[in-house]
């Protein structure tokens, strides 16, 4: 014990050495156990496959024999002869007697059945192997065992063409009890049914014939075999269970709870089909595995005892055997060598751990990159399944959904910390990834959080879930983040899709919803299905709206222009039916209208590119208001007086033009009609239309006084295309008609 106190480091070194040595038998034992388990499971599966194959072949042999015997009877040359002869005259029909003789010998398949007969409902007789009987007499003789009633027995013969039915019970078949017998009823061919009415061919079979070639010795498995009819009802079973299930659904539910190996095979021949279910019990497998585990534990305990004994031996002898071995090898300073060994091992362990960490990070990076490519649609669908397997991406085949977070909301995270935006995003990504991947990773669902184009995107799948289920889980995750990290986040969620091949579509919907949310500055979480959309044809930014905005800017009406811009943007924000595309077009058209006015962009607070690249409605609205505030001012107004004089001269020079109006004048001076209207009201207290009409009436009066032109000629010369219009305008401004005015001149 003194030695231990003197050299504790050496003791620690040797303990580490023995621990490493003990790892070898432990690993070997675990490897052997796992290998033995795999082999045992494989052997169990092979034996079950063999039993299933033999049972299926046996069932099919019985079905084939029944069907072939049916074919011999149905297409026998003398069958119609016996059906066409009345019962009391069959003895005189040679063809009928031939059929009965052949039928009595039971054809070629006597080993495959116990008894066969033909039932003819119209005459209510049974054509049996040993004669023709009334149905009541035949039932009482061969079927009245208490299992099936007479009426039910008769109804079981009514079978549709190309189908079959099964009924229980028959008696007087040697030592076989009625419960061990079944009767197959098959409709005769269509040509016979048309001639002689509905009738069927029936074959009585022992249930045990289906399992007669199955070996009794089934090593490594307590294998049970069940045979079900086409509708799932139990027909026969070779099982160790006392309580037999009556339906296949009941059996499958029971065996699933027991974790047994179940194989379901459908055995079909012609129109007859059955379902064979083989159940392999794992009782023996578990017993063998338990024995193997006991052996493994024994080996490990033995190695530990040997290690402890050797350690105690070397400590008691002051490590003399070890020191002698080291001195023989020229390593006298054993303590330094022990230290070197320990250091080398520790370094090796550290390097291995670092390499494992790097490999895990690299694998995770590949995993995230593959998922990002699938979401963006850059990975072909034909390669998706391989990518899922290679990078261990588990997607349930049922419902999938994609939701994205708004990075702009991350700025509220840890305001007291001096963190950069990039650091905040990294922190928030870590939080979101941990919470949502954990709450979505269950037996029925899976979840992954990836970074796609600087957006945090979560992909979730579930065996079968609807929008309400996903919404509940998402809200729970968001509440957890808000509760524990004081960070209120919202998400943009796609519709619920079916199948992993719809991931790209779901991602596009989530991104659309995110951009829509940013554009409209929506503060709550948004589902793609909540976005009301209009088609591009429903969108319009009217010419009148554009002209009004441009006129206000041209005239330097800063307050009115700003008010009108606010009015336009408020109408866009309130209209929830506008699609994202329509909103973008409206933003572009409003920006383009402002940029058309040189006076507005004189100082250019923003470049045209910056203006048109605004990400949200609010951002563009503020930029436009800033442009108007800085550049739209009275000093930038046109010289109204000079412009008014120029317009008046143009009217006086072109009053004879029939097409002269406020629009044509505006086009000539490159101004909008609203501007001209305001210009005339300001400078002459009248409208431009009144000014033009007054001048034309003035010139008409001069022509009446000084020329011999007729009234019609004068109306055309002053710019009126119709004399009726001229008369109306002249009377409006002079109070009398042109004719009356000319008459007054003559007086």
């Amino acid at each position: 014990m003194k030695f231990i106190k003197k050299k504790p480091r050496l003791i620690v070194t040797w303990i580490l050495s023995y621990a490493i040595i003990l790892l070898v038998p432990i690993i070997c034992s675990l490897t052997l156990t796992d290998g033995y388990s795999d082999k045992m499971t494989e052997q169990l599966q092979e034996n079950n496959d063999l039993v299933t194959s033999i049972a299926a072949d046996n069932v099919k042999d019985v079905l084939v024999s029944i069907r072939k015997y049916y074919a011999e009877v149905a297409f026998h040359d003398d069958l119609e002869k016996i059906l066409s002869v009345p019962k009391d005259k069959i003895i005189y029909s040679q063809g009928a007697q031939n059929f009965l003789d052949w039928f009595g010998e039971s054809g070629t398949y006597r080993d495959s059945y116990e008894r066969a007969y033909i039932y003819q409902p119209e005459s209510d007789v049974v054509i049996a192997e040993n004669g023709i009987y009334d149905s009541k007499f035949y039932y009482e003789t061969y079927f009245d065992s208490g299992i099936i009633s007479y009426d039910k027995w008769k109804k079981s013969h009514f079978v549709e063409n190309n189908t079959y039915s099964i009924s229980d019970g028959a008696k007087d078949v040697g030592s076989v009890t009625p419960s061990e017998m079944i009767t197959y009823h098959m409709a005769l061919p269509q040509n016979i049914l048309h001639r002689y009415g509905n009738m069927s061919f029936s074959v009585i079979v022992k249930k045990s014939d289906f399992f007669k070639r199955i070996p009794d010795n089934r090593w490594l498995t307590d294998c049970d075999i069940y045979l079900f009819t086409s509708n799932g009802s139990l027909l026969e079973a070779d099982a160790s269970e006392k309580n037999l299930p009556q339906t296949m659904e009941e059996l499958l539910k029971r065996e699933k709870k027991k974790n047994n190996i179940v194989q379901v095979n459908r055995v079909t021949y012609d129109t007859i089909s059955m379902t064979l279910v083989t159940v392999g019990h794992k009782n023996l497998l578990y017993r063998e595995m338990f024995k193997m585990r006991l052996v493994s534990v024994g080996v490990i305990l033995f190695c530990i005892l040997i290690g402890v004994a050797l350690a105690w031996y070397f400590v008691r002898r002051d490590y003399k055997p070890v020191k002698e071995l080291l001195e023989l090898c020229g390593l006298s300073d054993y303590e330094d060598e022990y230290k070197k060994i320990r250091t080398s091992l520790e370094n090796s362990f550290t390097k291995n751990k670092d390499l494992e960490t790097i490999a895990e990070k690299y694998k995770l990076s590949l995993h995230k990159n593959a998922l990002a490519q699938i979401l963006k649609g850059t990975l072909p669908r034909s390669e998706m399944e391989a990518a899922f397997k290679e990078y261990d991406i588990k997607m349930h085949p049922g419902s999938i959904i994609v939701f994205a977070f708004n990075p702009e909301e991350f700025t509220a995270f840890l305001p007291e910390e001096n963190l950069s935006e990039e650091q905040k995003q990294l922190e928030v990504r870590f939080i979101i990834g941990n919470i949502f991947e954990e709450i979505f990773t269950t037996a029925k669902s899976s979840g992954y959080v990836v970074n796609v184009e600087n957006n945090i995107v979560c992909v979730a799948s579930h065996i079968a879930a609807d929008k309400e289920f996903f919404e509940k889980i998402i809200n729970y995750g968001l509440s957890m983040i808000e509760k524990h990290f004081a960070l209120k986040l919202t998400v943009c969620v796609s519709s619920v899709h079916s199948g992993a091949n719809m991931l790209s579509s779901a991602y596009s919907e989530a991104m659309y919803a995110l951009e829509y949310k940013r554009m409209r500055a929506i503060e709550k979480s948004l589902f793609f299905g909540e976005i009301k959309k209009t088609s591009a044809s429903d969108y319009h930014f009217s010419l009148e709206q554009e002209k009004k905005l441009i006129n206000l800017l041209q005239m330097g009406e800063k307050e009115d222009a700003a008010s009108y811009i606010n009015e336009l943007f408020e109408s866009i924000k309130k209209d929830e039916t506008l699609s994202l595309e329509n909103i973008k077009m409206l933003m572009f058209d409003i920006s383009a209208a402002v940029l058309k006015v040189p006076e507005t962009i004189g100082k250019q607070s923003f470049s045209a590119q910056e203006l048109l690249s605004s990400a949200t409605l609010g951002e563009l609205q503020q930029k436009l208001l800033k442009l108007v505030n800085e550049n739209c001012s009275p000093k930038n107004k046109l010289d109204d007086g000079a412009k008014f004089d120029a317009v008046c001269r143009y009217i006086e020079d072109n009053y004879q033009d029939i097409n002269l109006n406020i629009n044509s004048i505006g086009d000539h001076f490159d101004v909008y009609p609203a501007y001209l209207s305001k210009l005339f009201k300001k400078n002459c207290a009248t409208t431009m239309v009144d000014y033009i009409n007054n001048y034309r009436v003035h010139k008409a009066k001069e022509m009446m006084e000084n020329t011999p032109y007729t009234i019609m000629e004068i109306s055309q010369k002053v710019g009126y295309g119709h004399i009726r219009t001229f008369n109306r305008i002249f009377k409006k401004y002079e109070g009398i008609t042109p004719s009356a005015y000319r008459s007054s001149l003559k007086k």
Side-chain angles (χ1 to χ4, degrees), residues 178-412:
S179 62
E180 296 174 348
M181 307 295 294
I182 60 171
T183 306
Y184 275 87
H185 307 286
M186 295 164 281
L188 288 176
Q190 196 70 26
N191 61 325
I192 295 177
L193 299 181
H194 282 318
R195 285 188 180 183
Y196 306 105
N198 188 11
M199 61 180 64
S200 63
F201 173 67
S202 304
V203 179
I204 301 171
V205 181
K206 289 190 293 186
K207 295 181 181 179
S208 59
D209 286 346
F210 291 109
F211 303 131
K212 63 185 176 183
R213 289 193 294 132
I214 299 174
D216 293 331
N217 183 19
R218 304 166 197 164
W219 179 78
L220 198 60
T221 173
D222 296 334
C223 182
D224 292 342
I225 306 172
Y226 299 86
L227 187 62
F228 295 91
T229 62
S230 57
N231 62 5
S233 299
L234 180 66
L235 185 63
E236 178 60 324
D238 184 5
S240 58
E241 295 282 349
K242 293 182 179 179
N243 297 323
L244 296 178
Q246 296 306 307
T247 63
M248 185 166 64
E249 182 181 2
E250 182 183 347
L251 172 67
L252 296 178
K253 286 182 179 179
R254 186 185 72 182
E255 300 306 327
K256 184 178 180 181
K257 291 180 180 179
K258 295 181 179 181
N259 195 28
N260 287 328
I261 298 175
V262 179
Q263 290 180 248
V264 180
N265 290 320
R266 191 172 183 83
V267 183
T268 303
Y269 180 75
D270 201 0
T271 60
I272 304 177
S273 65
M274 294 184 178
T275 303
L276 185 69
V277 180
T278 307
V279 178
H281 298 283
K282 292 188 176 180
N283 303 4
L284 293 177
L285 174 63
Y286 294 148
R287 286 199 291 269
E288 292 294 329
M289 288 303 304
F290 181 72
K291 293 178 184 177
M292 190 62 189
R293 289 192 179 95
L294 287 179
V295 173
S296 300
V297 172
V299 171
I300 294 171
L301 291 175
F302 177 75
C303 292
I304 292 174
L305 290 174
I306 293 297
V308 171
L310 288 174
W312 180 256
Y313 172 74
F314 288 131
V315 169
R316 292 288 294 174
R317 300 202 58 187
D318 199 18
Y319 283 86
K320 186 176 181 181
V322 178
K323 287 191 288 185
E324 290 176 352
L325 178 61
L326 293 174
E327 289 175 358
L328 184 63
C329 297
L331 302 172
S332 56
D333 193 355
Y334 60 88
E335 288 193 50
D336 290 341
E337 293 303 323
Y338 294 155
K339 186 176 181 180
K340 288 179 182 178
I341 293 172
R342 183 175 64 185
T343 303
S344 176
L345 288 172
E346 289 176 351
N347 291 338
S348 177
F349 288 145
T350 302
K351 288 180 180 179
N352 287 339
K353 189 174 181 180
D354 292 341
L355 288 173
E356 288 176 0
T357 303
I358 294 171
E360 188 64 29
K361 288 182 178 179
Y362 181 68
K363 181 180 178 181
L364 183 61
S365 177
L366 292 175
H367 170 105
K368 300 291 186 182
N369 288 337
L371 193 53
Q373 289 183 21
I374 292 171
L375 290 172
K376 291 189 292 184
T378 56
L379 189 70
R381 288 192 175 184
S382 58
E383 300 177 13
M384 283 176 55
E385 193 66 31
F388 287 153
K389 291 181 180 179
E390 183 176 356
Y391 300 111
D392 194 26
I393 301 174
K394 297 177 181 178
M395 283 290 162
H396 291 279
S399 307
I400 63 112
I401 200 169
V402 175
F403 55 94
F405 293 82
N406 186 3
E408 296 171 2
E409 297 174 347
F410 301 167
T411 55

Side-chain angles (χ1 to χ4, degrees), residues 638-673:
L638 300 174
D639 186 350
D640 290 346
K643 180 66 71 175
F644 176 75
D645 293 340
V647 172
C648 290
R649 286 195 300 271
Y650 182 79
I651 293 172
E652 292 168 3
D653 293 339
N654 296 275
Y655 72 93
Q656 295 176 328
D657 186 357
I658 294 176
N659 296 317
L660 183 70
N661 55 45
I662 191 169
N663 291 322
S664 64
I665 296 171
D667 292 339
H668 178 77
F669 286 96
D670 195 23
V671 295
Y672 286 90

Side-chain angles (χ1 to χ4, degrees), residues 678-695:
K678 191 170 184 178
L679 185 68
F680 268 78
K681 285 183 181 180
K682 178 181 177 182
N683 286 277
C684 65
T686 187
T687 66
M688 177 179 282
V689 175
D690 286 339
Y691 185 88
I692 294 172
N693 287 331
N694 267 318
Y695 190 78

Side-chain angles (χ1 to χ4, degrees), residues 113-115 142 145 147 169-182 204-209 236:
Y113 70 96
E114 299 302 324
R115 189 183 300 114
Y142 296 106
S145 60
I147 293 179
K171 67 178 184 177
D172 194 21
V173 187
S175 60
V176 182
T177 62
S179 62
E180 296 174 348
M181 307 295 294
I182 60 171
I204 301 171
V205 181
K206 289 190 293 186
K207 295 181 181 179
S208 59
D209 286 346
E236 178 60 324

Side-chain angles (χ1 to χ4, degrees), residues 178 298 318 465 497 715:
D318 199 18
H497 292 267
S715 70

